[in-house]
Amino acid sequence: QVTISVDDGSGPVVGEIPAINFADILRRIKLMVKFIHCADLHLDSPFKSKSYLSPNIFEDVQKSAYESFKNIVDLALKQEVDFIIIAGDLFDSENRTLRAEVFLNEQFERLRKEQIFVYICHGNHDPLTSKITSQWPNNVSVFSNQVETYQAITKSGETIYIHGFSYQNDASYENKIDAYPSSQGQKGIHIGVLHGTYSKSSVKDRYTEFRLEDLNQRLYHYWALGHIHQREQLSDMPVINYPGNIQGRHFNELGEKGCLLVEGDHLKLTTQFYPTQFIKFEEATIETDHTSKQGLYDVIQSFKDKVRTEGKSFYRLNVRINSEDIIAPQDLIQLKEMITEFEENENQFVFIEDLNLQYVQNDEMPIVKEFSPELLDDASLFDSAMTDLYLNPRASKFLDDYNEFDKVELVNHAERLLKDEMRGEQNDN
């Protein structure tokens, strides 16, 4: 606070005004651009495989990508960004739904009212074809099938050059990196937009493959990539980022999904990830000593209660059981039904889509556990195994009556002999 004294003629008046934060003013002057980079919306991705879900949960799944992009627009408005870049695959196919088009128009209109611009390139899932007929608001620019440049002016008056192209068809292997203009000798901040595959990535669908050297030669300040659904920074100078997709759709797309907020000047751009997903796909492992269906149910429900505050989610849950006792198949069916039914009316559902029981001592579990009681009581099995030995006159006189043996202990003893022999072979190797 700064204290001042003012004389209005009737005597001095003393008051306080907030001190000027010069560091904040300098930061704002230095900040030349702020934008959001997202990609791979897949708004109308089909979820037919999840039609077995309860109506409430299935409805949430169907609208998940829409809600995630709405969260991105909310973030853009809150952060007062200059523009949003969408690096390909707004839609899951060129036969996009009316629902998706209407939704995007509404969200783009929200941005237009606050003078926030949108720059879009189409990818392999939503290429430029005759079926792409939408008329977006005038704050939206769409790259053509040839590399072109859009010029933008930020709120601070900085000139931004955004370079990119859209796919003309869904099998575009054409490398257009050489068509991107170099920024050498030009002022302003240069951003490249590319929906493509990094040469060192392991994905199967390799569209518009590129090397880092190819991008570095353009001398841009930032590369906004799309196509790979895993968030990854390929370089920090220049900054080259995959933001990942905005909403996971299955267990190959685990964890938080969202967008990158990019800000800075021509000397340095920083990125921060913001999760915006409506539903998460996760994998977790828990341990328990319980083997009864009630005990397992309580353990799983306790786990769900702990993670429920993190939002709606699907889980692949591995339960490691510290016991040799195996839960009966019919009990396992009841267990799965109960934990599923519990979530049907939960707003913040935690749906266990894949439940795997792992017996920690399974490797040491006695072989006898593999035999049913009926099989162990079947005397004919032991008769057939022992007949040849007991019919041998030289051996039988040294043998006790096998009918008096503990059959379970016989199997356990045989297992120990086998394991000792296997250990001996491993030591020899």
Side-chain angles (χ1 to χ4, degrees):
Q1 300 288 325
V2 176
T3 303
I4 61 172
S5 177
V6 178
D7 190 346
D8 62 357
S10 59
V13 177
V14 177
E16 292 184 342
I17 62 172
I20 299 174
N21 189 331
F22 290 102
D24 185 59
I25 292 175
L26 290 174
R27 186 189 66 81
R28 291 177 179 274
I29 293 175
K30 186 178 180 181
L31 179 61
M32 296 299 183
V33 65
K34 181 191 284 191
F35 65 94
I36 283 176
H37 168 204
C38 64
D40 299 284
L41 281 56
H42 293 276
L43 284 182
D44 45 8
S45 180
F47 287 98
K48 294 179 181 178
S49 63
K50 302 223 182 287
S51 58
Y52 61 87
L53 298 169
S54 68
N56 290 341
I57 296 179
F58 185 56
E59 181 182 354
D60 279 348
V61 169
Q62 287 185 306
K63 70 180 183 181
S64 57
Y66 293 83
E67 292 296 326
S68 181
F69 187 70
K70 184 178 177 182
N71 291 337
I72 290 174
V73 173
D74 290 343
L75 177 65
L77 296 172
K78 179 180 179 180
Q79 291 287 338
E80 299 180 347
V81 301
D82 296 299
F83 52 86
I84 294 178
I85 291 176
I86 305 177
D89 288 356
L90 286 78
F91 310 99
D92 195 64
S93 70
E94 61 184 63
N95 295 318
R96 61 199 193 190
T97 64
L98 176 62
R99 177 190 182 192
E101 293 193 41
V102 171
F103 169 79
L104 279 179
N105 258 306
E106 292 173 349
Q107 299 308 310
F108 292 160
E109 185 63 28
R110 291 177 63 200
L111 296 169
R112 186 194 65 81
K113 291 178 180 178
E114 300 301 324
Q115 296 184 333
I116 296 175
F117 295 87
V118 182
Y119 298 93
I120 298 170
C121 82
H122 287 273
N124 56 293
H125 275 271
D126 59 349
L128 291 173
T129 68
S130 58
K131 297 176 182 177
I132 304 297
T133 58
S134 291
Q135 296 296 318
W136 304 124
N138 58 15
N139 63 319
V140 178
S141 298
V142 179
F143 289 99
S144 72
N145 65 335
Q146 300 298 321
V147 174
E148 57 186 354
T149 300
Y150 286 103
Q151 182 176 328
I153 305 296
T154 69
K155 294 178 174 63
S156 62
E158 177 68 18
T159 301
I160 311 294
Y161 298 94
I162 307 171
H163 316 276
F165 76 96
S166 291
Y167 284 30
Q168 182 62 49
N169 54 66
D170 60 1
S172 176
Y173 298 94
E174 182 182 359
N175 192 326
K176 295 187 177 182
I177 303 300
D178 290 341
Y180 282 74
S182 171
S183 72
Q184 188 170 15
Q186 299 185 30
K187 294 183 179 180
I189 296 175
H190 290 258
I191 299 170
V193 182
L194 176 63
H195 191 84
T197 310
Y198 178 37
S199 59
K200 293 185 179 181
S201 71
S202 58
V203 298
K204 295 180 180 179
D205 299 328
R206 309 189 72 80
Y207 297 93
T208 311
E209 193 167 339
F210 64 87
R211 302 172 305 161
L212 288 185
E213 305 87 87
D214 301 328
L215 304 189
N216 291 339
Q217 288 176 1
R218 310 336 293 167
L219 302 176
Y220 293 171
H221 300 86
Y222 187 89
W223 277 94
L225 305 179
H227 179 55
I228 305 300
H229 289 191
Q230 183 65 39
R231 184 170 71 256
E232 183 179 8
Q233 183 173 78
L234 302 183
S235 169
D236 59 358
M237 188 176 293
V239 184
I240 303 175
N241 279 323
Y242 279 113
N245 55 335
I246 69 169
Q247 171 61 57
R249 298 171 297 170
H250 42 68
F251 286 108
N252 288 333
E253 299 174 350
L254 298 176
E256 293 181 322
K257 300 291 182 177
C259 64
L260 297 174
L261 178 68
V262 187
E263 56 184 322
D265 57 19
H266 66 285
L267 296 177
K268 184 178 181 180
L269 291 174
T270 61
T271 61
Q272 182 177 354
F273 171 72
Y274 281 83
T276 61
Q277 76 283 329
F278 188 61
I279 299 172
K280 278 198 303 182
F281 284 80
E282 294 283 9
E283 183 171 10
T285 299
I286 59 176
E287 292 194 17
T288 181
D289 295 329
H290 294 286
T291 56
S292 69
K293 56 185 176 183
Q294 179 65 53
L296 286 172
Y297 176 81
D298 291 340
V299 168
I300 293 171
Q301 288 299 107
S302 177
F303 164 77
K304 291 196 295 184
D305 290 341
K306 290 179 181 178
V307 300
R308 196 178 301 279
T309 56
E310 299 174 10
K312 305 174 191 288
S313 57
F314 285 89
Y315 267 87
R316 175 186 289 152
L317 185 62
N318 303 308
V319 182
R320 293 171 57 85
I321 301 175
N322 297 308
S323 174
E324 297 177 356
D325 297 328
I326 300 176
I327 183 172
Q330 61 271 23
D331 289 344
L332 181 58
I333 292 173
Q334 291 182 38
L335 174 64
K336 290 180 177 180
E337 289 177 349
M338 286 295 295
I339 62 176
T340 296
E341 289 177 5
F342 184 89
E343 299 301 320
E344 289 184 355
N345 297 310
E346 286 290 318
N347 181 40
Q348 296 290 82
F349 65 82
V350 179
F351 192 92
I352 309 299
E353 183 166 341
D354 191 1
L355 178 63
N356 301 310
L357 302 186
Q358 303 170 350
Y359 295 89
V360 176
Q361 300 178 22
N362 196 44
D363 291 340
E364 301 297 324
M365 187 180 298
I367 293 177
V368 72
K369 292 288 185 178
E370 302 292 331
F371 296 91
S372 67
E374 294 78 14
L375 189 59
L376 289 172
D377 291 335
D378 188 357
S380 63
L381 177 67
F382 286 85
D383 288 339
S384 62
M386 299 291 189
T387 297
D388 290 343
L389 180 62
Y390 274 79
L391 288 178
N392 187 320
R394 294 183 178 180
S396 61
K397 63 181 178 181
F398 299 106
L399 301 175
D400 295 327
D401 184 0
Y402 69 83
N403 289 314
E404 297 178 2
F405 293 165
D406 184 337
K407 296 175 183 178
V408 171
E409 181 54 30
L410 277 176
V411 176
N412 289 337
H413 181 64
E415 179 183 13
R416 288 193 292 271
L417 292 175
L418 286 172
K419 288 184 176 179
D420 288 342
E421 184 177 349
M422 292 174 63
R423 292 189 189 101
E425 291 176 356
Q426 290 174 352
N427 291 334
D428 291 340
N429 293 333

